[in-house]
Amino acid sequence: MTTRLAQNFRLLVVVLAVTSLSGCATLSADEQEEHRAELDEMGDRAIAKLLETRPEISELLEQCVGYAVIKMQVTKIPLIGGGGGYGVVRDQISGDRSYIKVSRFEVGGGMGTQKFKVIILFSDQKLLKRAITGSWHFEAGPEAVAGESSIEDNLNKSGEGYSAFRIGESGAVATVTIRVARATPYLE
C-alpha cells in the first residue's frame, strides 16, 4: 500500500508541476509578436504537409470558414496523463488570426509520450468562434501511435461543422482513456 501511495504522490507532483509551469510566464510585446510569427509559420507548414499527404483535403480547406492548427505534446503514465500545446486559429472569411493555448488531461490505462499537430477545418462559423473564444472538448476511447504513423491513421474525424486531422511527429503511446481538453485564448 505504501508503494502505491508513493506512486500516486509522484503522479500528483508531476501533474501539479506541469500545470503550474504551463501558465506562469508573461511574455513581453516583442516576445508575443515572435511567438505569433512562430505559430503562424507552424500552422502554414502543417497545412502544407496535410495537403501533401492528402491532396483531396484542398477542397475542404478552400470551403471551410476557418481552421485551427495546434501543436501538442502529451505524456501518459499508467493511470493519468496530461499535456498541452499552442495553436493558431484562422478565420478565412475575415482573414483574422487568433491564438490559443490547449491543456489536456486524461484518465485511464496506457502509457507513452507523443508530439503531434491537430488540424481542424471548420464549416460552422459558431464552432470556429468557440475555438477562438475558448471551449472544452471531451473524448473517450483507444489511442495507438508510433512516430509519424498517425499522419491519418489515428485521427480523421468529422462531426457536424468540422473535420479534424492529426499529423504525428514523434513518440509512441497506447492508451484507453477518457480525455478532456480545454482551449483558451492566448496572446491577446
Side-chain angles (χ1 to χ4, degrees):
M1 188 67 167
T2 305
T3 304
R4 188 172 191 176
L5 183 61
Q7 287 175 336
N8 287 339
F9 179 76
R10 278 186 245 139
L11 293 175
L12 180 61
V13 169
V14 169
V15 169
L16 290 175
V18 168
T19 303
S20 65
L21 290 175
S22 68
C24 64
T26 302
L27 300 175
S28 69
D30 288 341
E31 291 170 325
Q32 286 184 21
E33 194 56 41
E34 185 178 318
H35 203 199
R36 282 185 188 98
E38 290 170 1
L39 290 171
D40 289 341
E41 184 179 334
M42 177 275 303
D44 292 343
R45 284 193 318 262
I47 292 288
K49 185 169 185 176
L50 179 64
L51 293 174
E52 178 184 304
T53 58
R54 297 282 305 274
E56 69 275 13
I57 305 275
S58 65
E59 190 174 328
L60 269 177
L61 182 62
E62 289 172 16
Q63 294 174 355
C64 72
V65 296
Y67 62 84
V69 181
I70 306 151
K71 183 174 185 172
M72 295 288 296
Q73 183 169 346
V74 178
T75 301
K76 174 74 176 81
I77 50 181
L79 298 176
I80 63 171
Y86 297 91
V88 58
V89 181
R90 181 157 188 250
D91 183 325
Q92 294 206 123
I93 295 170
S94 69
D96 292 342
R97 290 180 185 240
S98 302
Y99 303 90
I100 58 173
K101 177 181 176 181
V102 178
S103 302
R104 175 173 152 169
F105 180 74
E106 56 189 80
V107 177
M111 186 169 237
T113 185
Q114 61 180 321
K115 290 183 181 181
F116 58 94
K117 291 182 182 79
V118 174
I119 300 171
I120 306 167
L121 307 180
F122 296 98
S123 58
D124 182 323
Q125 189 71 32
K126 288 180 185 176
L127 289 178
L128 175 66
K129 293 296 180 199
R130 282 185 47 210
I132 293 168
T133 59
S135 63
W136 289 90
H137 176 75
F138 301 92
E139 189 174 73
E143 190 173 40
V145 177
E148 294 183 17
S149 71
S150 67
I151 205 152
E152 275 306 299
D153 300 337
N154 289 296
L155 181 65
N156 182 7
K157 297 182 178 180
S158 292
E160 194 168 319
Y162 76 94
S163 295
F165 308 90
R166 175 195 300 244
I167 299 176
E169 292 182 348
S170 64
V173 66
T175 67
V176 177
T177 60
I178 296 171
R179 299 175 284 282
V180 60
R182 171 77 171 141
T184 55
Y186 177 65
L187 298 175
E188 293 184 329

